[in-house]
């Protein structure tokens, strides 16, 4: 795995799992759990994907402590900037 060292010294993985268009929530949960069990430590999600709860359940199911993971998200603003 390739990592990028952030300005605070934390190493962040450069490869992660994206959950865009995972509409089957049980499948999303299972995929997230499996990816984490196989070494993924970065999960990319967004409120607008409507699967953040399934991502959370997958994280919990993985058994890996949340402090070991990077969860990135985007906030849907619903209008023009």
């Amino acid at each position: 795995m390739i990592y990028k060292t952030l300005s605070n010294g934390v190493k962040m993985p450069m490869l992660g799992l994206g959950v865009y268009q995972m509409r089957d929530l049980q499948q999303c949960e299972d995929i997230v759990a499996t990816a984490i069990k196989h070494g993924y430590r970065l999960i990319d999600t967004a409120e607008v994907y409507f699967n953040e709860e399934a991502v959370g359940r997958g994280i919990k199911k993985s058994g890996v402590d949340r402090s070991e993971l990077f969860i990135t998200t985007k906030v849907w603003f619903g209008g023009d900037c």
Side-chain angles (χ1 to χ4, degrees):
M1 179 65 66
I2 299 171
Y3 294 86
K4 175 73 174 172
T5 302
L6 305 178
S7 62
N8 62 358
V10 173
K11 290 185 177 181
M12 182 175 177
M14 295 297 294
L15 178 66
L17 174 71
V19 297
Y20 177 60
Q21 294 187 340
M22 287 191 192
R23 304 217 192 297
D24 181 321
L25 299 181
Q26 184 60 57
Q27 184 180 49
C28 179
E29 178 182 327
D30 294 343
I31 289 170
V32 168
T34 300
I36 293 170
K37 287 178 184 178
H38 286 279
Y40 280 80
R41 293 297 180 263
L42 169 63
I43 308 296
D44 179 65
T45 186
E47 180 181 12
V48 72
Y49 301 168
F50 301 108
N51 59 13
E52 288 180 310
E53 289 182 17
V55 170
R57 289 191 303 271
I59 291 167
K60 186 173 183 176
K61 184 188 284 188
S62 76
V64 172
D65 191 79
R66 171 63 181 89
S67 66
E68 296 182 34
L69 305 172
F70 288 87
I71 310 301
T72 59
T73 190
K74 283 115 3 240
V75 179
W76 180 254
F77 59 88
D80 295 330
C81 290

